[in-house]
Amino acid sequence: MDNKVKSTINDVAREAGVSKRTVSRVINGSPSVGQATRERIDAVIKELNFQPDKQARGLASKKSYLLGLIYDNPDALYIDQVQRGCLTVCTNLGYELVVHPCHWQEDDFVEDCLNFISRSNVDGVLILPPVSESKKLASALRANNHPYVRIASADLDDHANIVISNEREAMQDIAEHLVSLGHKDIAMISGPSPFCSSRERLEGFTDSLKKLNIDLPAHRVIEGQNSYESGLEIAKNIFSGTDLPTAIFANNDEMAAGVIRVASDLGIKIPEQVSLAGFDDNIFASRIIPSLTTLRRPVQEISVVATKKLIQAINPQNKAVEQTTVIKPYLITRESTAKCIKED
Amino acid sequence: MDNKVKSTINDVAREAGVSKRTVSRVINGSPSVGQATRERIDAVIKELNFQPDKQARGLASKKSYLLGLIYDNPDALYIDQVQRGCLTVCTNLGYELVVHPCHWQEDDFVEDCLNFISRSNVDGVLILPPVSESKKLASALRANNHPYVRIASADLDDHANIVISNEREAMQDIAEHLVSLGHKDIAMISGPSPFCSSRERLEGFTDSLKKLNIDLPAHRVIEGQNSYESGLEIAKNIFSGTDLPTAIFANNDEMAAGVIRVASDLGIKIPEQVSLAGFDDNIFASRIIPSLTTLRRPVQEISVVATKKLIQAINPQNKAVEQTTVIKPYLITRESTAKCIKED
DNA sequence: TTGTACGCGTTATCAT
DNA sequence: ATGATAACGCGTACAA
């Protein structure tokens, strides 16, 4: 196997007895190449194990065949799934994935991302929540003509530039699930109010419950920070009161895990006394005791769609294939929710 | 801010009134540039916000300033930490990180990795366990002169090419911890025997216990698959027996989580009846009930060292700074281990 | 349908 | 210490 010698387009051209311009045409799938010529060149390409050099290609065409992944998300599992989904598309189309964690709360974060893009020469970027909610970043990218696709939980951009996880609608499923179990006094530990996802979930939950004739009063909504510690703190508050809700929805599994911990410490049985549900289907949602009823985003599917959109945005000449834009999370029922035993 | 126009080395040269060769020298820190010239050029570089183009640089110098990360590891948290550690070094030195998950059990995996390297033009690769244990991959890389650094749990390469997590020695800590709590009848759920890490941990545990005059008999060692499901299965076996061990060490937190689940289902109290410890300090180790005593690898620190080594391997002209090679995991004590109550 | 010639932004060779 | 000039591998007007 002549792996050692990297053959160039010139080698292919010489070997096939054509000019390198024609080889270039074949590589890039130009239609104006004779059938016979194309086959001959294809054969030589295989024989020589030729792969166009990304650097040279980039230098000449202003394309790097690199995609950037911008995120600032403590959920490693989420990131990992996004990366894997993304790469299934990338590899097929000759793209590579360059990762860029950032700190979106910091002042220079937009500059930092812009800097990353020009440094690395990525052709476009995928932006994960919650960074994807940044209006500033999106405008900056648009202003600099950088192709991008956001993954977010609300409809905050042109549909060519976004894939939406419809969390508002997904909340209907958990609302119906809890109500069908007989719960009427339900509490919600919401996420940080600046996040779209928090608002979508809170409003989706409230609305869905209302449709089922259940009220979610203000005192039953407590804002958390989406962290385990925050879950601990709020759970202590809830459980120290005299009238407990019969069910709790936590904005994510992290906080739900905090609730489980406090309940366990206080001897409160989940789901016997209080039902509990989370959001994410985080890795420990199925491991924890009791295992968590939760809503799972089809993360990998979402990132596949997003990557396809991004590559489409980078290559506008390919006529736009219609792409999905909205994907709904779905309910996973486990041990932490059960029939409400409280009498009316 | 003239962000829009990307200035080139020519702009800098013209503006500074020198040839571009000199600018190039300044960029690359060549010593043979006059003090005054250097300062003038530096000023222009700042003024024009000039950044050398990676593509062009790569084409000319055969360096892409891209680093590859090769792994096949279900533990997303581990990967994420590696990436973050790696990037702290990368960003400072002008490198970017390209990720490449692979399937190291498959036949063409070496070829796939080689392919990735030539496709992406990465200057070198970081290899994570368990892929890092592959002798075939390492030889192939060496044969093709591809710089690489492995992160592994045993001393299986030249110290310039490896960072070792000394798990054998770390096992001494958990052994001492359990014995100091009075445990004498200890079981171990080991990892898949083909993995170095499994062997290191098993032998390390056995030896450490022996030094403490505790025997780890063959029937107390059960081989697992490092998966939650595998933990479930083995735990069912152990707990269905008549004489239970007083402590169990599981090769990772995933399997330990399985043990906790089965114990909970069977009404066996951890740590009251059986102490339990894991390895990794996985995300749920601190969330699960009871929280897990475990061994944590300083993953981020390890990946920082590994990345530095890799960049050093890529640029051999920089005189080798002495680098750490061995880093020991450390014990984290939580709820799942307690005093042995069983009488002698 | 195919080929020629040049340019992309940088590094490297060899002078001076 | 500095500079002219040729690579590097590929894409692309323009020509044929």
Side-chain angles (χ1 to χ4, degrees):
Chain A
M1 184 156 60
D2 268 351
N3 247 340
K4 312 258 177 173
V5 238
K6 226 175 116 178
S7 45
T8 78
I9 198 174
N10 293 305
D11 301 331
V12 177
R14 186 172 359 92
E15 198 74 15
V18 297
S19 83
K20 69 179 191 182
R21 180 68 184 94
T22 306
V23 178
S24 173
R25 285 200 177 90
V26 171
I27 297 171
N28 297 294
S30 156
S32 51
V33 177
Q35 181 66 19
T37 323
R38 157 164 288 124
E39 280 172 8
R40 186 151 35 93
I41 294 178
D42 273 334
V44 176
I45 287 180
K46 246 171 218 145
E47 183 197 336
L48 264 48
N49 189 27
F50 164 75
Q51 282 182 311
D53 182 298
K54 276 210 173 72
Q55 319 284 323
R57 224 180 184 189
L59 186 56
S61 68
K62 301 291 167 203
K63 282 183 187 172
S64 64
Y65 290 85
L66 296 177
L67 261 36
L69 184 66
I70 294 180
Y71 59 91
D72 179 14
N73 187 325
D75 186 350
L77 184 69
Y78 180 81
I79 312 271
D80 186 61
Q81 288 191 311
V82 170
Q83 288 183 4
R84 287 176 197 272
C86 191
L87 280 164
T88 61
V89 181
C90 282
T91 307
N92 278 332
L93 277 57
Y95 283 84
E96 308 294 337
L97 186 63
V98 184
V99 293
H100 184 72
C102 65
H103 306 280
W104 80 306
Q105 309 282 19
E106 286 175 18
D107 281 345
D108 62 343
F109 121 87
V110 171
E111 202 180 340
D112 169 67
C113 289
L114 254 30
N115 207 19
F116 160 69
I117 293 173
S118 73
R119 253 201 348 253
S120 60
N121 261 316
V122 291
D123 292 335
V125 291
L126 217 61
I127 314 171
L128 271 36
V131 189
S132 59
E133 296 182 7
S134 164
K135 215 176 174 66
K136 275 170 66 184
L137 179 58
S139 335
L141 293 175
R142 229 173 292 124
N144 291 43
N145 262 330
H146 286 139
Y148 70 92
V149 169
R150 319 202 225 179
I151 294 179
S153 53
D155 193 350
L156 25 78
D157 205 326
D158 187 295
H159 281 195
N161 297 325
I162 195 168
V163 178
I164 301 165
S165 159
N166 194 337
E167 305 181 354
R168 175 184 291 265
E169 208 167 293
M171 292 306 292
Q172 191 178 331
D173 293 355
I174 186 67
E176 283 173 358
H177 173 66
L178 291 176
V179 171
S180 77
L181 289 171
H183 295 282
K184 297 191 172 100
D185 186 1
I186 301 175
M188 173 163 180
I189 305 177
S190 69
S193 48
F195 291 6
C196 286
S197 58
S198 304
R199 292 199 297 276
E200 293 293 313
R201 294 177 199 177
L202 175 55
E203 290 171 14
F205 199 43
T206 307
D207 293 351
S208 300
L209 287 176
K210 186 168 291 170
K211 275 185 200 155
L212 298 164
N213 293 316
I214 303 287
D215 186 41
L216 184 64
H219 78 279
R220 283 305 195 200
V221 178
I222 305 120
E223 181 171 332
Q225 294 306 311
N226 277 353
S227 69
Y228 178 71
E229 290 70 24
S230 159
L232 291 177
E233 193 186 337
I234 293 170
K236 279 178 200 155
N237 266 326
I238 294 179
F239 291 144
S240 70
T242 48
D243 70 321
L244 301 191
T246 67
I248 300 175
F249 172 79
N251 196 63
N252 68 2
D253 294 344
E254 278 281 318
M255 293 199 293
V259 175
I260 290 183
R261 158 57 73 176
V262 173
S264 161
D265 289 350
L266 296 178
I268 295 174
K269 301 273 185 203
I270 296 177
E272 290 81 355
Q273 294 174 258
V274 179
S275 279
L276 175 68
F279 199 110
D280 278 347
D281 196 27
N282 209 319
I283 180 69
F284 53 77
S286 56
R287 310 287 199 250
I288 207 165
I289 301 173
S291 60
L292 259 178
T293 291
T294 189
L295 288 161
R296 175 195 286 177
R297 286 173 288 200
V299 181
Q300 205 146 334
E301 186 187 342
I302 289 177
S303 79
V304 164
V305 173
T307 308
K308 285 182 182 165
K309 276 198 181 188
L310 181 56
I311 293 178
Q312 192 155 92
I314 292 169
N315 307 87
Q317 70 278 17
N318 304 352
K319 51 190 170 296
V321 183
E322 203 51 48
Q323 296 277 13
T324 330
T325 295
V326 181
I327 298 181
K328 202 184 104 178
Y330 55 95
L331 182 69
I332 295 183
T333 311
R334 296 211 184 87
E335 296 169 345
S336 67
T337 47
K339 268 227 159 100
C340 178
I341 52 158
K342 198 165 172 187
E343 309 288 332
D344 279 305
Chain B
M1 186 156 59
D2 268 350
N3 247 340
K4 311 257 176 175
V5 238
K6 225 174 117 178
S7 45
T8 78
I9 198 173
N10 293 305
D11 302 330
V12 177
R14 184 171 3 90
E15 198 74 15
V18 296
S19 84
K20 65 181 187 180
R21 181 66 185 93
T22 307
V23 179
S24 174
R25 286 198 177 91
V26 171
I27 298 170
N28 297 293
S30 156
S32 51
V33 177
Q35 182 65 19
T37 324
R38 156 164 288 123
E39 282 172 8
R40 185 153 34 95
I41 294 178
D42 273 333
V44 177
I45 287 180
K46 245 171 219 145
E47 183 197 336
L48 265 49
N49 188 28
F50 165 75
Q51 283 182 311
D53 182 297
K54 277 212 173 70
Q55 319 283 323
R57 224 178 186 189
L59 185 56
S61 69
K62 300 292 164 199
K63 281 183 189 173
S64 64
Y65 290 85
L66 296 176
L67 261 36
L69 184 65
I70 294 180
Y71 60 89
D72 180 14
N73 187 326
D75 186 348
L77 183 70
Y78 180 80
I79 311 236
D80 186 60
Q81 287 190 310
V82 169
Q83 288 182 4
R84 287 175 198 272
C86 191
L87 280 164
T88 61
V89 181
C90 282
T91 307
N92 279 332
L93 276 57
Y95 283 84
E96 308 295 335
L97 186 62
V98 183
V99 295
H100 184 72
C102 66
H103 306 281
W104 80 304
Q105 308 282 18
E106 287 175 17
D107 281 345
D108 61 343
F109 119 87
V110 172
E111 201 180 340
D112 168 67
C113 289
L114 254 30
N115 207 18
F116 160 69
I117 293 173
S118 73
R119 255 203 343 256
S120 61
N121 262 314
V122 291
D123 292 336
V125 290
L126 218 61
I127 315 171
L128 271 35
V131 190
S132 59
E133 296 182 6
S134 164
K135 216 178 173 64
K136 276 170 65 184
L137 179 58
S139 335
L141 293 175
R142 228 174 292 123
N144 291 43
N145 262 329
H146 286 138
Y148 70 92
V149 168
R150 317 202 228 178
I151 294 179
S153 53
D155 193 351
L156 26 78
D157 206 325
D158 187 294
H159 281 194
N161 297 325
I162 196 168
V163 178
I164 302 165
S165 158
N166 193 336
E167 304 181 354
R168 176 183 291 266
E169 208 167 292
M171 292 307 290
Q172 191 178 331
D173 294 354
I174 185 67
E176 284 172 359
H177 174 65
L178 292 175
V179 172
S180 77
L181 290 171
H183 294 282
K184 296 190 172 101
D185 186 1
I186 301 175
M188 172 162 180
I189 305 177
S190 70
S193 48
F195 290 7
C196 286
S197 58
S198 304
R199 292 199 298 276
E200 292 294 312
R201 294 178 199 178
L202 175 55
E203 290 171 15
F205 198 43
T206 308
D207 294 352
S208 300
L209 287 177
K210 187 169 289 167
K211 274 186 201 154
L212 298 164
N213 293 316
I214 303 287
D215 187 40
L216 184 65
H219 77 278
R220 283 304 196 200
V221 178
I222 305 119
E223 182 173 330
Q225 295 306 312
N226 277 351
S227 68
Y228 178 70
E229 290 70 23
S230 160
L232 291 176
E233 192 185 337
I234 293 170
K236 279 178 200 156
N237 264 326
I238 294 178
F239 291 145
S240 69
T242 49
D243 70 321
L244 301 190
T246 67
I248 299 175
F249 172 80
N251 196 63
N252 68 3
D253 293 343
E254 276 281 318
M255 293 200 293
V259 175
I260 289 183
R261 157 57 71 176
V262 173
S264 161
D265 289 350
L266 297 177
I268 296 174
K269 300 271 185 206
I270 295 178
E272 289 80 357
Q273 292 172 258
V274 180
S275 279
L276 174 69
F279 200 109
D280 278 347
D281 196 27
N282 209 319
I283 181 68
F284 51 79
S286 56
R287 310 286 199 252
I288 207 165
I289 301 174
S291 60
L292 259 179
T293 292
T294 189
L295 289 160
R296 174 195 286 176
R297 286 173 288 199
V299 181
Q300 206 146 335
E301 185 187 342
I302 289 177
S303 80
V304 164
V305 174
T307 308
K308 284 183 183 165
K309 276 199 181 186
L310 181 56
I311 292 178
Q312 192 154 91
I314 292 169
N315 307 86
Q317 69 278 17
N318 305 353
K319 51 189 169 298
V321 183
E322 203 50 50
Q323 296 277 14
T324 331
T325 295
V326 182
I327 297 180
K328 202 184 104 179
Y330 54 96
L331 183 68
I332 295 182
T333 310
R334 296 209 184 88
E335 295 169 345
S336 68
T337 48
K339 269 226 158 103
C340 178
I341 52 159
K342 197 166 173 185
E343 307 289 329
D344 281 305

